[in-house]
Structure formats: structure tokens, C-alpha cells
Amino acid sequence: MLLVVICLLAGIVAGLPASWTSLFPTSACSPTNGLTPEPPLCSSQEPCLNLLSLYNVDNITEPTHVPTACASAIRTGPNARDDGAPGAVTIDSRVHYYCQGTGAPGAMLPLLLFFHGSGGTVEKTYSPKLGLRQRADTYEIKPGSPGYVFLSLQGPNRHWPTLTAEDGSKHDFVSRDFASNHDFKVVDALVDSLVAAGTVDPEWIFTSGHSNGAHFAQSYAIVRHVEPTPGGSMVKAAAVYSAFDPFGPVAGDTDCRLASYPPLHAPVLVVANQCDIWPCQQFRDWDAANPNATVVYLNDAQDGEVADCVDYGVGDCTFVRGALRHMAWPTDFSSAMLDFLRDSGTVPDPTGSPTTTPRVPTAAPTRLSRAASLTPSVFTSAMIALAALPCVLALGW
């Protein structure tokens, strides 16, 4: 707990690099395209200095983390997995790394795309605490077809447009010209390659993610549910952990929200915590704004049981508790999340088992007007807590 408090303080007092204002001028935010151009990569010319607390270095000059192996840290037992060396794909002269578990040409399996949180790595997505790679061998996300392809993408090292210390590995959901979003292009290329090889069934593609990766997973699923990849593939649904509106503000000091949203047709399940790092209103606004989103709050024990959201300052819900809950993937709810994807939009009941009644929109999905947002002070407070997360991650997940 002491380490968490220290990390929180580190996030509060972290100073801005001298290049911050030149990297993110006010004019870079557009209500049409979000942040333009994309958040710049860490490099020797523009090192990332405003780092997430996870990093035990003063700066990052490499544009990406290079994974060592696609394997769980545990080497024996039923939860051990080893898929060998990471794969690599080059898009626009930039190399991107990924891990792929299960699947072979001609297998025609479903595909689950997973996107790690801020400061994360693809190696950590093999943890039994996440458990999605372990379930990929046998779980019938496509009824009658055991198993699915698990693909985890390494996020590039980026400068991030927030006043709190956020530089590090990130998936870009703030550049909202989706035809030119570089991370979209990378995922598109991987999806189309797997579909062309017959490894993946193009009608059974899903996304999931944690925190930063959850925002990107929602964004990609919503856009690719109505606008196919260059190869013609589309995403069926998304189930994510601890995220909200992927088209809204990034922080109180960086808006970049869209004036109009892509059509909100994709079924989306957002799993949050009774006490989370994000204020309750963020989840409630997204649940109300998106007719095809379902938000479920897990109780404080995170044992798969649902509860009502609790705001900061109520009872023992503090930033520190919210940070601890946020960083711990809801292992006991992973199967319910996969069930949601399997059924493409059913609502989990209070026991964590999905019902058979699909969520029906109250109105036909349309392009949404600008969503309600929190005040900068509340947003900045949440971002301060978020700055501590990578340090908290070092304690476990």
C-alpha cells in the first residue's frame, strides 16, 4: 500500500517535458478527427520523459517494446502456455509486434483481439490472471467450434497528451480519423492476413482490452462493425474492462472528443468496478449514450458478483482503492465476458451468467451528438490516479 501512495504522489508531481507544448499544440485537437497528427513515438530525437510510473528509467527512446517470447511466466501446469517467438508486421515502415496463440491456416476459428493497458506488454497478456489465452484452446466462442485465435498486439511507446505522467506503451484511440489511424491499419493488416489464410472465420471477430486498450478495443469494434477492413472483415462485438466513451475527452486538459460519433451498432460490454479509478458518471454517461452498451459493476471482492457503482469519497472508495481494483483483471468474470461475445450482446445477469435476452436499443442507432463530459477538475483527478496504475501493476498483474 505504501508503494501505491508513493506512486500516486509521483503522478501528481511529475513535471512536463519542455517539448510538451510543441508536441501537442492546442490546434492539434479537432472535433472531426480528434488528435491530429497521432501521438508521436518515443525516439532519440524526442525521448519520452513524462513517463508512467512503471518505468525504472528516466526516458524512453525506442518506438516500441520488443517482446522476448509469447509465453506465460509460469512454465509448467495447466495454465502454462508457450506460443514461441512474437510475430512482426511492418506498416508504413514501422515494425509492430504481436503474439498469436492457437490457430492454423484453414482452421476457420473465431478471433479475439486483445489490447493491453497503459505501459503493458504482450508478454503479460499470457498471465493466468487474464486467462483469455488459456481459454482459447477449448472455449466455444463460436458454438460447436471449440477454441479461438487469441491475438495480442504490442502498443507503441508514445508521448501521451495528458498533463499527468502517461508516456509509454499505448494504443492510439485519440487519433479519430479512422481511415488514417495507424493502429487501425496495423490491426486491419493482421485481421485480413488471418482471414485470407483461412485461419480466422471473418464472421466471428471480437475485441477485448484493459484500460487504454479497452478504449481502443471499443473504438476499433464500433468502427469496424459498420466499416469493414480493406479485406472486407468486420468486428462482431467487444467486451472490455474499465473504460468508458472511446470518442470522448482524453483528460481535462486534452479534449479531442468528436462532435459526432460513428454509428453505435456494435454490442459492447463494459466491465467496471464498484470502486474504480474512473468516476461513476463516466460509465453512466457512456451506458446512457450508447444504446448497445452494457455496463456491469463488480463488487469490491471482484468475485464475479455485480453491485452498484460507488463514487470517490463514499465509504472506503478512495483513489488508491480504485487504482488497485482497476489494475486487477476480473478473472472470475472472464467467462461471462466471453459468453457475451459468443451471444453477441446478451446481458449478464446478477450471478455473472448471461441471460438469453439480447439488449434491444431504445431507438435506432444514429451518429451521436457530443456526449456529456466531466469537468476538468474531476477528469484531472482521475488521471492523477491513473498515473499511479503502472506502478501498481508492478505489484501483481
Side-chain angles (χ1 to χ4, degrees):
M1 184 63 70
L2 177 60
L3 177 58
V4 176
V5 174
I6 293 172
C7 291
L8 283 171
L9 293 175
I12 295 171
V13 303
L16 292 175
S19 59
W20 194 88
T21 53
S22 63
L23 287 168
F24 301 107
T26 303
S27 60
C29 270
S30 161
T32 303
N33 296 322
L35 192 70
T36 305
E38 67 174 291
L41 301 178
C42 306
S43 67
S44 56
Q45 293 78 27
E46 289 285 358
C48 287
L49 305 174
N50 201 33
L51 299 179
L52 290 154
S53 307
L54 168 68
Y55 298 103
N56 295 316
V57 295
D58 294 329
N59 62 78
I60 297 177
T61 58
E62 299 80 22
T64 185
H65 164 72
V66 180
T68 55
C70 298
S72 56
I74 56 173
R75 298 301 185 183
T76 60
N79 287 321
R81 295 293 185 278
D82 188 344
D83 295 319
V89 60
T90 300
I91 304 294
D92 297 337
S93 301
R94 288 160 53 179
V95 179
H96 299 267
Y97 297 95
Y98 64 93
C99 285
Q100 178 186 330
T102 69
M108 288 291 285
L109 291 173
L111 171 63
L112 178 62
L113 298 159
F114 187 83
F115 305 97
H116 62 70
S118 298
T121 66
V122 291
E123 291 99 329
K124 287 188 176 182
T125 65
Y126 276 67
S127 167
K129 292 182 180 180
L130 177 63
L132 295 178
R133 169 61 187 91
Q134 284 73 10
R135 288 172 170 83
D137 295 330
T138 58
Y139 183 88
E140 292 189 11
I141 198 170
K142 175 183 177 182
S145 178
Y148 57 84
V149 176
F150 175 80
L151 191 148
S152 175
L153 180 66
Q154 178 63 47
N157 293 330
R158 288 188 162 105
H159 297 269
W160 201 246
T162 54
L163 291 175
T164 50
E166 286 268 340
D167 290 359
S169 61
K170 296 273 192 177
H171 302 284
D172 177 19
F173 69 94
V174 296
S175 301
R176 291 159 177 170
D177 179 353
F178 303 111
S180 62
N181 181 295
H182 183 84
D183 286 11
F184 268 54
K185 291 181 181 179
V186 175
V187 181
D188 286 348
L190 291 170
V191 169
D192 288 345
S193 175
L194 289 169
V195 170
T199 304
V200 164
D201 185 335
E203 295 184 359
W204 291 83
I205 299 173
F206 307 93
T207 65
S208 184
H210 184 180
S211 193
N212 165 266
H215 282 91
F216 182 84
Q218 287 187 96
S219 177
Y220 187 81
I222 289 169
V223 172
R224 287 289 175 257
H225 190 80
V226 294
E227 298 178 16
T229 66
S233 296
M234 304 179 80
V235 175
K236 196 171 185 181
V240 303
Y241 177 57
S242 200
F244 44 95
D245 182 355
F247 310 114
V250 181
D253 46 277
T254 308
D255 196 326
C256 290
R257 56 185 170 177
L258 293 179
S260 61
Y261 285 20
L264 302 176
H265 292 231
V268 172
L269 172 65
V270 174
V271 180
N273 291 297
Q274 183 178 25
C275 176
D276 206 290
I277 196 169
W278 303 113
C280 295
Q281 196 59 44
Q282 289 298 93
F283 298 113
R284 291 170 181 153
D285 286 347
W286 182 225
D287 195 24
N290 185 348
N292 283 309
T294 300
V295 179
V296 174
Y297 307 100
L298 300 184
N299 68 12
D300 202 44
Q302 292 187 306
D303 56 6
E305 298 294 323
V306 300
D308 292 327
C309 191
V310 176
D311 280 306
Y312 293 129
V314 177
D316 59 358
C317 184
T318 63
F319 279 136
V320 171
R321 182 176 292 274
L324 288 170
R325 296 295 178 265
H326 176 90
M327 72 92 179
W329 179 269
T331 306
D332 290 335
F333 209 73
S334 288
S335 291
M337 295 171 78
L338 290 174
D339 290 347
F340 177 92
L341 296 179
R342 178 197 63 204
D343 300 327
S344 297
T346 59
V347 182
D349 68 20
T351 65
S353 302
T355 69
T356 57
T357 305
R359 180 182 177 115
V360 179
T362 56
T366 58
R367 294 185 70 85
L368 189 68
S369 61
R370 182 174 289 189
S373 64
L374 294 179
T375 62
S377 59
V378 175
F379 238 127
T380 302
S381 297
M383 294 308 296
I384 288 171
L386 183 60
L389 278 185
C391 198
V392 177
L393 288 173
L395 300 176
W397 200 75

